[in-house]
Amino acid sequence: MSGNPTAMTIRRPGGAVRSPDGIASEPFWVEALLEGSAAGENAAMRATLDPGTITNWHTHPRGQLLYALSGIGRAQRDGGPVEEIRPGDAVWFAAGEKHWHGAAEDAPFSYVSIQATDGERFVDWLEPVEISS
């Protein structure tokens, strides 16, 4: 993993890859925008999830900003209600706050996430979400 660029850099769309297995109910498209690796550097990505795809529970050691681009999303912090997310919404998850986010059952969802690294780590993946009907 490399650190953040040291000068103005433009990243064009087109570098999306499938997410690793075991972090969501289904693989989704993710594209690195910033690949922070030193403590305090930002890591940022653009993600696109198919309808009904949700991440596992997870935390971020320095918090996470989620900015909704398109579609309809959902998010929940541990112990809180499931919240709907629409384009233009910005959601902040505090450092260490257990949460998940994903696409609504009937719509895809795209977002940009930004999270600062803590050492070389910016996310801690946990167990799958069990949503009761």
Side-chain angles (χ1 to χ4, degrees):
M1 189 185 301
S2 60
N4 289 160
T6 58
M8 181 178 157
T9 302
I10 297 175
R11 276 226 166 134
R12 305 281 183 214
V17 297
R18 293 303 263 178
S19 65
D21 288 335
I23 67 167
S25 59
E26 297 291 332
F28 56 93
W29 292 104
V30 61
E31 187 168 4
L33 304 174
L34 284 173
E35 298 176 22
S37 59
E41 283 188 337
N42 287 318
M45 63 197 66
R46 179 177 27 244
T48 301
L49 290 72
D50 291 331
T53 300
I54 62 172
T55 66
N56 286 5
W57 288 103
H58 59 285
T59 63
H60 299 274
R62 294 189 175 207
Q64 179 188 45
L65 176 69
L66 203 74
Y67 181 76
L69 297 173
S70 64
I72 301 172
R74 299 181 300 162
Q76 181 182 27
R77 68 178 187 88
D78 193 21
V82 176
E83 302 281 353
E84 186 173 275
I85 305 170
R86 296 207 169 257
D89 288 351
V91 182
W92 172 251
F93 300 103
E97 185 172 35
K98 185 177 177 182
H99 68 281
W100 63 266
H101 39 83
E105 286 295 324
D106 59 352
F109 180 54
S110 292
Y111 61 85
V112 168
S113 68
I114 304 168
Q115 46 280 316
T117 58
D118 187 22
E120 293 186 6
R121 168 179 136 259
F122 61 84
V123 63
D124 293 309
W125 292 106
L126 305 169
E127 71 276 4
V129 175
E130 292 184 30
I131 298 177
S132 54
S133 307

